[in-house]
Amino acid sequence: MTIELNREAIAQVTALPAVTEAAEVGSALISLWPLTEAMQMDNDAKYAENLQVRVTRAFARVLTGEDVTVPDAEFVYEGADEIPGRPQNIVDTLLAANDAYDTMADYSESGDVQLIFDAAEALDVRWDTDVAAQVRETIAAVEAQIEDDAAQGRLSTSSEPADVATRFATALAVCDALLSVVTGDGEHDGDAAAQAVKVLPILLYVNELREQCSIPRICLTDQQILDLIDTRANAGDTLTATAEYIAPLAGAEWTKHRDDVLWNPDEAKKKAKEEDEKRNKEALAAKFAHIKDDPGKETVEL
């Protein structure tokens, strides 16, 4: 059964406080573009690298159930195919996660649905035939509807908060629909970890769909992915539950992205120095706070 986007439901999601708040933050980030300063472009490139490290680490933790560390993810991102003293299965899973991430990175430009299945294969995520068919049909349907909405002016690409909220809500609706397809309407028999594995390719796809719709990518940690599964399993309305869970996380991610882009080492150094001086003055004042002034002491002018 093909799932179509419900514009009325999307409008309701757009109006959710969590979504409108996230959209304000997203608008502030999007409005920085196009970047023109070399430092900001370099900062954005570093943010993108860090985002891939964080996403692939989260995926590897979900897939293995093991303590995949940040250094593990960084080493593999930088090209390592083995890490002395670390389990090889962790390295192999990180390699697979990076393959899937790199595979899906082309989607926002090509729109090739097959990339989602290639990413799933890289992650060794196995959907049964019916689920795979529903995923393919759903993506084809929602992509066509999004294109139609854009052509009809219902999906503006501006950085205005209201327009950002609409595009974000649309991506959330797509995310909810596809999560329902691969998890069976969000239900699970107490095994959120198994369900979390199934949704990983969907999370990659939705990130690229956001990029396609001029909405910044986000990152969910492994625990947040598991919590999302549980949140949906206990919800009567999975779309609202999904939106209310993801929106604050998206807002936090977009705040980080904007801060990272605007980071200036000279200003950061100056601010750190000022904060150190302030702390030193406060510590000195506290040290001598017990010493009282002598009211009879003669004032000496220098």
Side-chain angles (χ1 to χ4, degrees):
M1 179 182 67
T2 301
I3 298 174
E4 295 184 0
L5 298 181
N6 183 321
R7 291 194 178 95
E8 182 178 342
I10 290 174
Q12 292 173 352
V13 169
T14 301
L16 291 173
V19 172
T20 57
E21 289 174 15
E24 291 280 353
V25 179
S27 172
L29 170 60
I30 296 167
S31 65
L32 295 178
W33 266 258
L35 299 178
T36 56
E37 296 183 17
M39 181 181 295
Q40 291 183 359
M41 289 187 280
D42 185 52
N43 287 345
D44 187 54
K46 290 177 181 176
Y47 167 83
E49 292 175 354
N50 178 259
L51 179 68
Q52 180 164 346
V53 167
R54 290 186 291 131
V55 169
T56 54
R57 178 189 179 225
F59 279 24
R61 289 172 71 95
V62 168
L63 289 163
T64 64
E66 297 185 33
D67 182 21
V68 181
T69 67
V70 173
D72 290 338
E74 289 176 338
F75 282 135
V76 172
Y77 173 78
E78 291 166 1
D81 55 13
E82 60 180 20
I83 303 174
R86 297 296 289 157
Q88 188 59 37
N89 71 304
I90 285 179
V91 176
D92 291 342
T93 304
L94 282 166
L95 287 168
N98 277 279
D99 284 345
Y101 193 100
D102 291 339
T103 295
M104 279 306 302
D106 294 331
Y107 183 84
S108 61
E109 295 293 333
S110 71
D112 183 359
V113 176
Q114 182 56 40
L115 294 177
I116 300 159
F117 296 92
D118 292 344
E121 183 178 358
L123 294 168
D124 197 27
V125 172
R126 302 177 186 277
W127 296 321
D128 64 36
T129 303
D130 289 343
V131 168
Q134 287 185 58
V135 168
R136 191 179 294 274
E137 291 173 7
T138 299
I139 290 173
V142 299
E143 289 279 0
Q145 188 169 332
I146 287 172
E147 288 182 11
D148 182 61
D149 283 353
Q152 298 298 323
R154 291 189 292 262
L155 206 61
S156 170
T157 58
S158 85
S159 62
E160 290 298 316
D163 293 328
V164 173
T166 299
R167 299 197 304 274
F168 182 35
T170 300
L172 287 168
V174 174
C175 181
D176 172 66
L178 288 170
L179 290 179
S180 293
V181 168
V182 299
T183 64
D185 294 323
E187 298 177 0
H188 67 79
D189 299 323
D191 191 358
Q195 295 286 55
V197 170
K198 295 179 182 179
V199 309
L200 298 181
I202 300 303
L203 298 181
L204 281 179
Y205 163 71
V206 176
N207 244 1
E208 296 311 309
L209 177 67
R210 291 190 187 99
E211 182 70 13
Q212 192 178 41
C213 295
S214 301
I215 294 293
R217 297 178 177 91
I218 68 171
C219 173
L220 301 184
T221 67
D222 55 308
Q223 188 58 54
Q224 288 166 347
I225 294 171
L226 292 170
D227 289 346
L228 173 61
I229 298 297
D230 283 335
T231 297
R232 288 171 48 80
N234 296 318
D237 176 1
T238 59
L239 174 54
T240 298
T242 299
E244 290 183 335
Y245 182 79
I246 290 179
L249 302 177
E253 183 65 36
W254 296 337
T255 296
K256 170 181 168 50
H257 191 169
R258 187 173 188 274
D259 289 345
D260 284 2
V261 169
L262 296 177
W263 184 77
N264 183 306
D266 293 333
E267 291 181 2
K269 184 177 180 180
K270 179 181 178 182
K271 183 177 180 180
K273 182 179 179 181
E274 291 173 349
E275 290 176 349
D276 283 343
E277 291 176 349
K278 181 181 178 181
R279 281 194 296 269
N280 290 338
K281 288 179 181 178
E282 290 173 349
L284 192 62
K287 181 178 180 180
F288 293 101
H290 65 286
I291 300 176
K292 305 297 182 181
D293 288 338
D294 182 356
K297 183 178 179 180
E298 183 179 351
T299 301
V300 178
E301 294 185 5
L302 299 178

